[in-house]
């Protein structure tokens, strides 16, 4: 395989990447797994500095970027909370980024506003990786989701992948649906009507020749699924608690539901989960959400080494 | 035979074949208000040679700048610009929608980074920028937040 050249590339939106490029990233992530687990030592990014600028709280994304950088022998600086930084003194994001760039080799940005990462990329010569911009893009989450499906199932195209829960507001499912359509997956969208996938995402998926199956009932859609991708339905979306509980209950994955599913179905969740997956499911061989969370590390290791132009 | 429903202009610009109903938006783009010094004629809902309805705006002693032309191209993609000198049309051109529009419309997404104000009430140092995805119907997509802008004529800067 040709070595993927991504030196200096920004990672703003999954839509900026081709299927071949994504496969290249996932291949390298596969090689990174032993290092991510601490089984093998690496000094690949020795001397490199990552600036992690989190203008919005994050646990998993921030920790896994840090873990990825440290496991490869690099260092991390930055902040997890904009309070007390120059942003609260009226500095523009553009200026904050110009400063970050002069102190580091790669910038990881989480920001509450859509388009923040694109703007940052415009002002930085150093590569910018989007770690979530408001309700916009979160490309490294999409990559780790794809990695999990590919490593658990051996492929992505042709699988029946069922996205379940809040498909309207969930930022991860929109980019994921786009990427899965690019790979030629057979898609099902299971959600209450008021939280169903927005029309523009359905149109986007169709532009790849994929006609998604729309369901309101998980009992009905679960039979054919190779992958159940479950997301949280937030209380805030419902005017009253009784209505919320009724809806949330109908999209809950438990052992009873699993009996109707294929025996080798895998269950994924971007985490944190609340009640949408029963704890009893954790013990089954179908549960892959903790593996999925771990996969954030090798995937981010692969991305960091690619955009920094360093490989073994 | 030339037939004028309004007084002819000696020098100026005639914006013809404006999509029916958009003449008032064109006036806004030209910054024409009660302070106007020269003659302006607005003709709305007249039948064109092709039997379609159109609007026409005629302004005396004024030629349009490139930003105004871009804006008109967005809201009235069929418009023609006729330069009048000494009562005659000396130059006629069709407006052309650009592939990208920069600094002439604002993003409608309130949470877009281009609409963010700092603690000191300043904007980020970028002009709003859109990719023109289609002209008819007009579809613009924000380069930053990736959202489609529904009614660009309502968001002109
Ligand atoms: N001196 C003038 N004063 C005002 N309007 C004019 C003048 N000359 C031409 N026009 C208008 O400018 C537009 C373009 O004129 P012309 O090129 O003659 O017609 P067309 O584009 O229909 O072939 C028409 O709407 C016409 O009425
Ligand atoms: Zn925008």
């Amino acid at each position: 395989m040709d070595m993927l050249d991504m030196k200096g590339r920004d990672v703003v939106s999954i839509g900026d990447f081709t299927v071949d490029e994504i496969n290249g990233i996932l291949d390298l992530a596969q090689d990174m797994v032993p290092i991510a687990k601490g089984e093998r030592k690496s000094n690949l990014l020795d001397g490199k500095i990552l600036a992690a600028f989190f203008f919005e709280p994050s646990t998993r994304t921030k920790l896994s970027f840090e873990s990825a950088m440290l496991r490869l022998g690099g260092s991390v600086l930055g902040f997890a909370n904009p309070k007390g930084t120059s942003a609260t003194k009226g500095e523009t994001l553009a200026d904050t980024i110009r400063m970050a760039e002069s102190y580091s080799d790669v910038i990881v940005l989480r920001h509450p506003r859509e388009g923040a990462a694109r703007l940052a990329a415009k002002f930085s010569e150093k590569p910018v990786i989007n770690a979530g911009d408001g309700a916009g893009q979160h490309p490294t989450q999409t990559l780790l989701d794809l990695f999990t499906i590919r490593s658990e199932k051996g492929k992505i195209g042709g699988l029946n992948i069922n996205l379940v829960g809040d498909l309207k507001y969930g930022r991860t499912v929109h980019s994921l649906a786009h990427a899965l359509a690019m790979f030629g997956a057979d898609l099902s969208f299971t959600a209450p009507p008021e939280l169903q996938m927005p029309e523009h995402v359905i149109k986007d998926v169709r532009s790849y020749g994929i006609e998604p199956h729309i369901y309101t009932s998980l009992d009905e859609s679960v039979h054919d699924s190779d992958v159940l991708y479950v997301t949280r339905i937030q209380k805030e979306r419902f005017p009253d608690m009784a209505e919320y509980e009724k809806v949330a209950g109908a999209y809950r994955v438990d052992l009873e539901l699993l009996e109707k599913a294929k025996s080798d179905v895998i269950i994924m969740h971007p985490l944190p989960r609340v009640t949408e997956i029963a704890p009893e499911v954790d013990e089954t061989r179908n549960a892959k959400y903790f593996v999925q969370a771990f996969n954030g590390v090798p995937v981010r290791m692969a991305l960091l080494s690619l955009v920094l132009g360093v490989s073994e | 035979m030339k037939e004028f429903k309004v007084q002819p202009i000696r020098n100026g610009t005639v914006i013809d074949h404006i999509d029916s109903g958009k003449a008032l938006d064109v006036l806004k783009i030209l910054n024409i208000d009660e302070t106007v010094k020269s003659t302006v004629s607005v003709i709305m809902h007249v039948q064109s040679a092709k039997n379609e309805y159109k609007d026409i705006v005629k302004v005396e002693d004024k030629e349009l700048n490139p930003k105004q032309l871009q804006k008109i191209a967005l809201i009235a993609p069929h418009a023609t610009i006729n330069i009048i000198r000494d009562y005659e049309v000396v130059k006629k051109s069709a407006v052309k929608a650009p592939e990208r529009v920069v600094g002439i419309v604002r993003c409608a997404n309130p949470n877009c980074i281009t609409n963010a104000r700092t603690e000191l009430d300043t904007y980020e140092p970028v002009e709003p920028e859109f990719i023109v995805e289609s002209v008819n119907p007009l579809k613009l997509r924000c380069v930053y937040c990736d959202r489609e802008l529904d009614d660009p004529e309502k968001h002109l800067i």
Side-chain angles (χ1 to χ4, degrees):
Chain A
M1 193 197 76
D2 290 337
M3 196 49 211
L4 189 57
D5 184 9
M6 281 180 46
K7 186 172 182 180
R9 263 291 271 283
D10 301 306
V11 182
V12 174
S13 162
I14 195 74
D16 300 341
F17 295 87
T18 64
V19 167
D20 282 349
E21 286 170 336
I22 294 173
N23 273 322
I25 298 167
L26 303 188
D27 289 342
L28 184 58
Q30 191 62 53
D31 298 341
M32 295 286 185
V33 169
I35 308 172
K37 286 185 172 158
E39 294 165 2
R40 220 172 78 206
K41 273 191 88 168
S42 168
N43 277 315
L44 197 59
L45 300 185
D46 182 27
K48 301 287 185 194
I49 297 177
L50 179 156
F53 280 19
F54 280 71
F55 287 87
E56 214 183 40
S58 149
T59 315
R60 245 169 317 284
T61 304
K62 184 168 176 298
L63 289 178
S64 66
F65 265 113
E66 289 175 356
S67 172
M69 195 65 187
L70 298 174
R71 290 275 196 212
L72 290 175
S75 323
V76 183
L77 54 79
F79 57 83
N81 184 335
K83 282 200 188 76
T85 68
S86 47
T88 56
K89 300 191 186 104
E91 186 172 64
T92 59
L93 177 62
D95 281 357
T96 307
I97 290 300
R98 286 192 268 227
M99 180 261 301
E101 143 179 81
S102 65
Y103 298 155
S104 64
D105 303 297
V106 55
I107 298 170
V108 170
L109 178 74
R110 156 80 54 105
H111 197 278
R113 294 226 176 224
E114 287 99 65
R118 186 74 69 195
L119 182 135
K122 199 169 170 145
F123 284 91
S124 171
E125 293 284 314
K126 308 272 171 70
V128 171
I129 301 179
N130 186 1
D133 58 341
Q137 301 289 327
H138 194 0
T140 61
Q141 176 73 45
T142 309
L143 287 169
L144 77 88
D145 291 342
L146 295 173
F147 180 78
T148 305
I149 295 170
R150 210 187 72 166
S151 62
E152 295 297 329
K153 288 286 183 187
K155 60 175 183 178
I156 298 173
L159 292 178
N160 179 294
I161 300 176
N162 191 352
L163 308 184
V164 182
D166 180 354
L167 305 185
K168 185 170 182 190
Y169 300 99
R171 100 172 128 198
T172 54
V173 288
H174 300 168
S175 322
L176 182 59
H178 171 93
L180 291 172
M182 277 171 64
F183 276 83
D186 180 23
L187 295 176
S188 298
F189 299 153
T190 307
E194 60 271 42
L195 293 178
Q196 196 38 274
M197 198 63 101
E199 199 50 45
H200 73 268
V201 179
I202 293 179
K203 258 177 45 199
D204 175 42
V205 161
R206 282 193 186 126
S207 74
Y208 292 97
I210 304 294
E211 187 56 44
H213 317 281
I214 310 289
Y215 293 96
T216 51
S217 156
L218 184 52
D219 278 329
E220 273 173 38
S221 69
V222 74
H223 307 272
D224 299 325
S225 308
D226 297 305
V227 178
L228 274 183
Y229 193 99
V230 186
T231 63
R232 176 149 53 108
I233 295 179
Q234 289 177 321
K235 284 195 191 73
E236 300 82 272
R237 309 284 178 220
F238 291 87
D240 68 292
M241 275 308 283
E243 182 62 21
Y244 161 73
E245 269 160 23
K246 206 177 98 203
V247 170
Y251 297 90
R252 189 175 142 91
V253 176
D254 54 20
L255 291 182
E256 200 187 322
L257 182 90
L258 275 188
E259 275 172 25
K260 299 178 193 131
K262 288 187 179 176
S263 61
D264 62 350
V265 66
I266 64 165
I267 303 164
M268 295 173 62
H269 191 297
L271 302 182
R273 72 117 170 226
V274 188
T275 56
E276 56 278 8
I277 301 176
E280 64 201 27
V281 176
D282 298 358
E283 308 305 322
T284 67
R285 60 194 191 92
N286 311 94
K288 295 294 174 198
Y289 27 95
F290 297 120
V291 180
Q292 182 188 358
F294 161 77
N295 286 340
V297 179
V299 164
R300 289 174 175 120
M301 291 167 91
L303 268 183
L304 288 168
S305 60
L306 283 168
V307 301
L308 287 169
V310 186
S311 55
E312 269 163 340
Chain B
M1 186 195 73
K2 276 190 177 165
E3 182 204 327
F4 292 114
K5 289 182 179 171
V6 293
Q7 199 189 345
I9 55 179
R10 173 192 269 270
N11 295 307
T13 306
V14 174
I15 305 156
D16 197 357
H17 301 282
I18 298 169
D19 295 42
S20 181
K22 301 286 188 192
L24 298 177
D25 290 322
V26 171
L27 292 185
K28 241 183 262 158
I29 291 168
L30 302 181
N31 295 319
I32 290 169
D33 57 20
E34 66 280 5
T35 63
V36 67
K37 297 280 185 320
S38 46
T39 306
V40 176
S41 324
V42 180
I43 302 155
M44 292 183 73
H45 208 68
V46 287
Q47 225 151 2
S48 73
K50 288 182 224 147
N51 278 331
E52 283 159 350
Y53 287 101
K54 64 170 183 180
D55 293 356
I56 310 172
V57 169
K58 308 187 180 195
V59 273
E60 188 109 46
D61 297 327
K62 191 176 166 82
E63 291 190 12
L64 312 189
N65 67 37
K67 261 196 178 163
Q68 290 171 327
L69 288 172
Q70 267 198 50
K71 290 183 187 177
I72 292 172
L74 288 183
I75 64 145
H78 308 102
T80 58
I81 309 292
N82 302 273
I83 310 289
I84 312 289
R85 300 255 162 81
D86 230 354
Y87 298 107
E88 293 299 326
V89 176
V90 296
K91 196 173 155 230
K92 182 196 286 288
S93 55
V95 295
K96 201 168 148 283
E99 281 170 16
R100 274 179 185 243
V101 295
V102 181
I104 66 174
V105 277
R106 254 199 186 288
C107 186
N109 172 9
N111 204 42
C112 178
I113 189 70
T114 61
N115 287 321
R117 307 247 185 141
T118 66
E119 302 279 313
L120 299 177
D121 216 28
T122 53
Y123 284 110
E124 292 294 330
V126 290
E127 291 196 285
E129 185 172 338
F130 296 82
I131 294 167
V132 180
E133 294 208 317
S134 96
V135 176
N136 210 354
L138 182 59
K139 280 192 192 157
L140 303 183
R141 185 171 299 281
C142 177
V143 164
Y144 292 95
C145 75
D146 210 34
R147 297 287 173 85
E148 199 176 293
L149 184 62
D150 283 336
D151 307 297
E153 59 270 32
K154 295 207 181 86
H155 299 282
L156 291 172
I157 293 174

